[in-house]
Amino acid sequence: MNITLQTYQSRRERLMASLPDNSVVVIRNGELAVRNNDCDYEFRPDSRFYYLTGFPEPSAYAIISGQGDLTLVSLPKDTEKEQWDGFRYGIEGAIQAFGATQAFALEALDETLATALDGADCLAYCFADQRLREQLAVCRDGLAARARLGAKAPGQLLDVTNYVAEMRLRKDAEEIAIMEAAAQISVDAHKQAMRSVKPGMKEYQLEAELNYVFMKSGARQPAYNNIVASGSNACVLHYIKNDETIKDGDLVLIDAGAELSCYASDITRTFPANGKFTEPQAALYQLVLDAYHDGMKELTVGNPYEACHHAAVKTLTTGLVQLGLLSGEVDTLIESKAYRDFYMHNTGHWLGLDVHDCGAYKLAGESRALEEGMVLTIEPGLYVSEDNLKVEPKWRGIGIRIEDDVLITASGPYVLTHGLAKEISEIEALMAEAHSIS
């Protein structure tokens, strides 16, 4: 499941149309990263680079000019190195497989950049890429030094980061299809975890069930470090040790999503290790679920992005007062952010090539309006620290989050991660069925 060459070309055309006339865009892919000694991590392309080219190899440069014409500079074919490290597309492959107008070996980078920039009025690149910034500065200085010979360095510099981010914020049909496929792989993985969990397991043993389903279903890796947090570990938002024993009576919070064709999914579910919620666990879980449903109602075209968060916060704060974890007037507690002792993150984020995808959340200081094609998560939660002596002991050490991936459409929110139990009765029924079979 891939993006077509026509779509990549269209993206480059739209990018160039948004920039000043006679612009040149230069974007660099990442490098292989050393894990330890002479072992590298598996390479994953830079998201901006991949969005505009689809080219998956490290150490590559994309030069975009005209009406989206692509020049790729990449590692050349090398029989000996390919014997050890695997296939390379090389110059011919860059043209044939990725629609490049022209391609050059990496050793010709300086000359290729100088040729591309000579005579351009505007140079656009990602200002945060320090290595590229230094390379382009050397190139521009070289052109300026040859001004008497007729060379001309670009006089305007432009950060292309936000231009690409705004494009990526609205997903096209091909992206949505990939993201839903990734989401459904993740749904199957979470179902497997719910069916497989048993008190006495290590958290990483449950994590293995997730990774098995991911890979078996075509997702080579997770979109981010899997979180498998049992008991009070669930109160640590980015817990990734995953090495403790799951105990009878624990809730297990799993935040895990598959990555497919570089697109992320992101799901969280919380469920009882023994298949049955205790009364305090159920009370807090139902409150988070109510916040989820109230937030979901706000995910409609034209509504402010922040409306979902505000709705969830109001529901959570009201419920915390009713359960006795907070005291006071709801509006006052919201204004003072007293709820942040139990709920300290936002209710979602953009989703796409990155799990925390790019795109501004505010425009001119105001929460931006939701539009068709935007994809975001909805993820209310509650986290009661073991050390919180202000609440009754029965609440302490309970951490809960419920998260789904949502596509904004003209007819309302469409849950890409559909089909995964989140009602208490659904979760308990799924787990009871699995345990009866085993």
Side-chain angles (χ1 to χ4, degrees):
M1 185 173 289
N2 293 303
I3 305 295
T4 63
L5 291 183
Q6 291 80 4
T7 296
Y8 288 118
Q9 176 64 31
S10 175
R11 290 172 181 174
R12 294 193 294 269
E13 290 173 1
R14 286 190 286 124
L15 175 62
M16 297 309 293
S18 69
L19 300 178
D21 292 340
N22 198 23
S23 291
V24 173
V25 174
V26 182
I27 293 185
R28 184 177 69 91
N29 209 357
E31 308 290 333
L32 283 172
V34 176
R35 183 186 185 275
N36 62 295
N37 196 19
D38 58 352
C39 297
D40 296 326
Y41 285 103
E42 182 180 1
F43 180 71
R44 198 278 192 186
D46 175 83
S47 295
R48 286 180 294 252
F49 184 95
Y50 194 77
Y51 179 78
L52 293 169
T53 69
F55 191 74
E57 294 181 0
S59 306
Y61 292 74
I63 303 170
I64 306 170
S65 59
Q67 294 183 331
D69 296 333
L70 174 65
T71 298
L72 278 173
V73 182
S74 63
L75 295 168
K77 297 289 289 183
D78 187 318
T79 303
E80 182 177 352
K81 290 187 176 180
E82 289 182 68
Q83 175 71 55
W84 288 92
D85 299 325
F87 173 80
R88 289 181 184 176
Y89 281 99
I91 308 309
E92 292 183 4
I95 294 173
Q96 294 173 1
F98 297 95
T101 304
Q102 52 185 351
F104 300 95
L106 195 58
E107 63 190 20
L109 175 64
D110 292 344
E111 180 183 351
T112 305
L113 284 175
T115 301
L117 298 188
D118 191 359
D121 293 324
C122 177
L123 169 59
Y125 65 98
C126 299
F127 283 7
D129 187 339
Q130 182 176 350
R131 177 172 175 174
L132 180 60
R133 182 169 69 246
E134 293 171 352
Q135 291 172 315
L136 293 174
V138 171
C139 181
R140 291 177 66 241
D141 289 346
L143 289 172
R146 294 189 284 114
R148 290 185 179 181
L149 300 177
K152 177 190 173 185
Q156 180 182 0
L157 299 180
L158 186 67
D159 191 349
V160 78
T161 304
N162 289 337
Y163 289 86
V164 179
E166 283 298 302
M167 291 174 59
R168 285 171 55 188
L169 188 54
R170 301 162 187 83
K171 273 59 179 181
D172 58 40
E174 291 174 346
E175 290 178 291
I176 292 167
I178 294 172
M179 293 184 71
E180 184 163 16
Q184 287 304 302
I185 291 172
S186 300
V187 166
D188 289 342
H190 278 259
K191 287 180 180 178
Q192 177 68 13
M194 289 183 190
R195 295 186 183 110
S196 302
V197 66
K198 292 180 181 178
M201 293 178 71
K202 289 290 189 180
E203 292 164 337
Y204 58 73
Q205 291 177 304
L206 194 55
E207 181 182 16
E209 301 287 344
L210 299 166
N211 290 332
Y212 169 71
V213 175
F214 289 167
M215 290 190 180
K216 181 188 72 170
S217 305
R220 179 65 178 80
Q221 60 272 313
Y224 51 95
N225 291 324
N226 296 326
I227 296 170
V228 181
S230 61
S232 62
N233 295 331
C235 296
V236 180
L237 299 184
H238 291 162
Y239 174 84
I240 58 171
K241 286 176 56 183
N242 301 350
D243 63 355
E244 294 195 17
T245 301
I246 300 170
K247 301 179 180 66
D248 192 15
D250 278 353
L251 288 181
V252 180
L253 185 156
I254 293 183
D255 187 338
E259 180 179 276
L260 187 65
S261 299
C262 287
Y263 282 86
S265 59
D266 188 2
I267 300 178
T268 307
R269 287 295 187 271
T270 311
F271 51 90
N274 61 14
K276 190 72 176 176
F277 287 89
T278 67
E279 187 175 335
Q281 290 170 350
L284 289 181
Y285 186 94
Q286 187 61 52
L287 177 52
V288 174
L289 186 59
D290 291 344
Y292 170 99
H293 288 307
D294 289 342
M296 184 71 75
K297 295 173 186 175
E298 303 299 327
L299 297 181
T300 59
V301 172
N303 257 15
Y305 169 84
E306 292 180 346
C308 173
H309 179 65
H310 292 325
V313 165
K314 185 168 185 178
T315 300
L316 290 172
T317 305
T318 301
L320 288 169
V321 171
Q322 292 172 346
L323 293 173
L325 283 84
L326 285 176
S327 60
E329 295 294 327
V330 170
D331 291 343
T332 303
L333 293 169
I334 292 174
E335 186 176 355
S336 68
K337 300 189 184 302
Y339 62 87
R340 289 185 67 85
D341 285 346
F342 307 100
Y343 181 50
M344 59 293 295
H345 59 78
N346 288 328
T347 310
H349 52 79
W350 304 131
L351 185 68
L353 283 167
D354 295 309
V355 67
H356 295 135
D357 211 32
C358 57
Y361 291 92
K362 291 187 176 183
L363 298 177
E366 298 293 330
S367 180
R368 78 182 304 155
L370 296 175
E371 302 174 34
E372 287 187 73
M374 292 178 172
V375 179
L376 67 162
T377 66
I378 177 171
E379 49 180 302
L382 286 173
Y383 315 92
V384 187
S385 170
E386 276 190 315
D387 302 324
N388 190 337
L389 302 181
K390 298 178 182 179
V391 302
E392 294 180 59
K394 66 179 181 180
W395 305 117
R396 296 174 197 164
I398 297 177
I400 296 166
R401 185 163 62 251
I402 303 170
E403 179 181 22
D404 276 315
D405 305 342
V406 181
L407 169 68
I408 303 300
T409 77
S411 57
Y414 175 72
V415 178
L416 297 173
T417 45
H418 55 80
L420 182 57
K422 53 181 167 281
E423 301 289 337
I424 290 175
S425 59
E426 293 174 342
I427 291 172
E428 291 184 342
L430 185 154
M431 298 181 73
E433 179 183 2
H435 292 164
S436 67
I437 294 173
S438 62

